[in-house]
Amino acid sequence: RVDCRVKIHFPKPDGSEGSHIWLAVIDCLEELLFCTPRELPTDFVGLAIGESLVITDERIEDWMVLDHDGSAFGGYSLRLFRDRLPDAQRDEFDRYVGVSRWSDSPHEKMG
């Protein structure tokens, strides 16, 4: 099983910065992606856990494919954040994200 995720920016209703949220891709139909959040900030407004959202690919800021064995391809903003962590916190971050190995090539075996 492969888990596909996309990162989308959601401005606040007043137009201010808002949040950058990772969504699980449930299905796709041509250029439409059907997604749902797996976690949200506590003060997030406009979308709930388990609620579906249809987006187009131009909204995607980042993407990641996570295989059932924990191999991940993509997730470049997550990698940047992880690289800025002290070495002692990286394993904990990987467990939280569900990644056991970061892959740099789509041609590496993913499960």
Side-chain angles (χ1 to χ4, degrees):
R1 179 177 174 263
V2 174
D3 183 16
C4 298
R5 302 175 187 180
V6 292
K7 184 178 179 183
I8 307 297
H9 177 242
F10 291 90
K12 288 187 176 179
D14 66 5
S16 60
E17 175 57 29
S19 301
H20 302 266
I21 307 291
W22 282 94
L23 304 172
V25 178
I26 302 166
D27 204 354
C28 57
L29 177 63
E30 296 184 20
E31 72 278 354
L32 300 176
L33 299 174
F34 297 82
C35 305
T36 189
R38 296 247 171 98
E39 67 179 351
L40 292 167
T42 55
D43 62 343
F44 192 80
V45 177
L47 187 63
I49 299 293
E51 189 175 350
S52 293
L53 174 70
V54 179
I55 63 163
T56 55
D57 60 356
E58 65 261 2
R59 289 198 58 199
I60 297 171
E61 296 181 317
D62 195 3
W63 57 272
M64 182 171 71
V65 177
L66 183 62
D67 200 350
H68 69 279
D69 68 355
S71 299
F73 178 61
Y76 299 104
S77 60
L78 290 172
R79 291 178 191 224
L80 179 62
F81 181 82
R82 181 187 184 275
D83 288 347
R84 293 178 176 169
L85 291 173
D87 289 345
Q89 294 178 7
R90 290 180 183 176
D91 286 343
E92 180 181 346
F93 177 80
D94 290 345
R95 280 191 298 278
Y96 178 77
V97 176
V99 174
S100 60
R101 183 176 66 88
W102 295 93
S103 172
D104 291 327
S105 169
H107 304 292
E108 289 181 39
K109 182 179 183 306
M110 297 284 290

